[in-house]
Amino acid sequence: MAALLEAINIKRKMYFEFENAPFYCLESEISTPTARGGQTLVRLKMRNLITRAVFDKTFKAQDKFKEPDLELDEASYLYTDGDGSYFLDQASFETLTLNRDMVGDALDFLLEGSILQIHKFNGNPIGLQLPAQVELEVTYTEPGVRGDTASGAVTKPAKLETGIEIKVPFFIKQGEKIKVSTETHEFAGRA
């Protein structure tokens, strides 16, 4: 039997099951009563891992949740077509299909053969987890011109090999590999 978690023990970045769906805790706030006999309440900002919806909900401190049957399996990205995105499970060598909602904006960072983590709930794929940073090549950017920094423009737009466009420092050149944060979609350094 899966362990039970009390609402008061759920912290940021923890997973729990609520109403037969897996959730990820984004924020946890505990409010203790000032009056005698009042109940301690826990407000959780949580993301449904299946629907990707984010909302706040308040629970009593002693409310219990199951630990979700979540797995993180390593997979490599194969390709995307009209039916979805395809990944190869690195353990079972089974092809997994994720629809557009499950993939979200991850395609901005995926190249054929990229290794990432696939979330599975009760054995079924429900989404993916990208690394914190990915290395991508700059396919187009204007050359940096000496004196551009005088106007305060220390960044310029650059198009990357996946098609995403981000702001990069003016010294980055076309053909260079850079690191990009998958969370903020921002330049994170040279590769």
Side-chain angles (χ1 to χ4, degrees), residues 86-143:
Y86 300 89
F87 299 86
L88 181 66
D89 188 310
Q90 297 295 294
S92 67
F93 299 107
E94 165 187 11
T95 302
L96 305 170
T97 307
L98 275 71
N99 65 35
R100 184 165 277 127
D101 293 335
M102 293 176 184
V103 175
D105 64 358
L107 292 178
D108 291 343
F109 306 105
L110 293 179
L111 294 172
E112 189 176 309
S114 299
I115 302 290
L116 49 102
Q117 304 284 321
I118 297 245
H119 275 283
K120 289 183 179 178
F121 178 61
N122 294 333
N124 299 316
I126 59 168
L128 48 93
Q129 182 174 318
L130 292 169
Q133 295 179 346
V134 293
E135 290 184 11
L136 296 172
E137 185 177 321
V138 176
T139 56
Y140 179 78
T141 188
E142 295 289 331

Side-chain angles (χ1 to χ4, degrees), residues 10-25:
I10 293 182
K11 306 288 182 237
R12 191 171 172 269
K13 295 187 176 182
M14 283 181 72
Y15 296 95
F16 61 98
E17 191 172 323
F18 175 64
E19 295 177 344
N20 298 319
F23 282 86
Y24 177 72
C25 179

